[in-house]
Amino acid sequence: LPYLKGKRGLTDETIEMFELGEDRGSITIPLLDHNGRYAGMAKRQFDQKPKYLNCPNNLLYDKSSYLYGFDKARKMRSDVMYVVEGYMDAISGWQLGLPTVAYCNNGLTKDQIQFLDRHLRDDVIIILVPDNDEEGNKKIPRTREFFSKLAPRREVRVLLVPDSCKDMNDMLLAGIKPQELETEHLDKYALRILLDK
């Protein structure tokens, strides 16, 4: 609780909604499929590596196509979908009232992009929220290539995160409302990264 509430700024309601628990010093994060069925478990470890430990793939959970939080985000019936990097950022997005999913990989995979395109209405805009650092931006050109091949008609934008924040959880802690920030079309954002190089 000191970590979840103190360091991450999560409320009791959020902790209960995502059924976060504890097991031998690690935080347990239930993984639900897009229909809300239990598909597996992840752990946030403090005294050993890796920092986040996922369960093995099974019939309901395949890490390469799984999007954490989709079961809750889809119920919001919004015209946007925020896509973040990790569990805590997806949970933070939900607490901010935003439909948010996390890919929990080194970047969005082809399977995850196809899943989003298949399960979202055609008019839903995808807003990517990569970590606001060099590592996060490095993934954007490849992500753009995937979207242009697999979901060419989908509008995809990138949230312009303030320099003072790294991710969705930082914005939650800073009292910043992501829905009030500017976004930029994925093509333009990717082009700027490549030009900067």
Side-chain angles (χ1 to χ4, degrees), residues 30-98:
L31 306 177
L32 277 57
D33 72 4
H34 63 281
N35 290 315
R37 299 175 297 181
Y38 288 94
M41 183 74 75
K43 286 185 178 182
R44 165 59 163 96
Q45 304 187 116
F46 293 98
D47 54 357
Q48 54 188 315
K49 291 187 176 181
K51 189 159 69 171
Y52 285 94
L53 183 67
N54 296 298
C55 70
N57 286 354
N58 58 56
L59 286 172
L60 291 176
Y61 172 76
D62 180 348
K63 189 180 179 188
S64 67
S65 60
Y66 179 76
L67 287 162
Y68 177 73
F70 190 82
D71 60 305
K72 295 169 181 62
R74 74 188 307 193
K75 291 176 185 172
M76 293 183 166
R77 303 195 180 282
S78 174
D79 55 1
V80 296
M81 176 67 76
Y82 289 83
V83 180
V84 298
E85 290 200 13
Y87 300 112
M88 291 299 164
D89 290 322
I91 294 169
S92 299
W94 183 89
Q95 186 166 305
L96 286 162
L98 308 173

Side-chain angles (χ1 to χ4, degrees), residues 109-126:
T109 66
K110 292 179 179 179
D111 287 344
Q112 288 167 331
I113 288 171
Q114 288 175 317
F115 178 91
L116 282 169
D117 197 43
R118 195 166 61 246
H119 286 85
L120 297 177
R121 297 189 324 267
D122 290 344
D123 62 332
V124 173
I125 299 168
I126 292 174

Side-chain angles (χ1 to χ4, degrees), residues 115-173:
F115 178 91
L116 282 169
D117 197 43
R118 195 166 61 246
H119 286 85
L120 297 177
R121 297 189 324 267
D122 290 344
D123 62 332
V124 173
I125 299 168
I126 292 174
I127 301 177
L128 303 178
V129 190
D131 278 2
N132 190 22
D133 56 20
E134 189 179 348
E135 196 61 34
N137 281 328
K138 201 164 71 175
K139 305 164 188 167
I140 290 292
R142 187 184 68 166
T143 301
R144 183 205 160 269
E145 282 180 30
F146 287 168
F147 269 109
S148 64
K149 286 178 184 171
L150 303 168
R153 292 185 297 277
R154 176 75 57 183
E155 184 173 355
V156 185
R157 303 187 69 82
V158 181
L159 187 72
L160 302 181
V161 179
D163 289 340
S164 59
C165 298
K166 183 190 174 192
D167 51 30
M168 190 72 84
N169 186 243
D170 278 358
M171 288 186 276
L172 170 69
L173 292 167

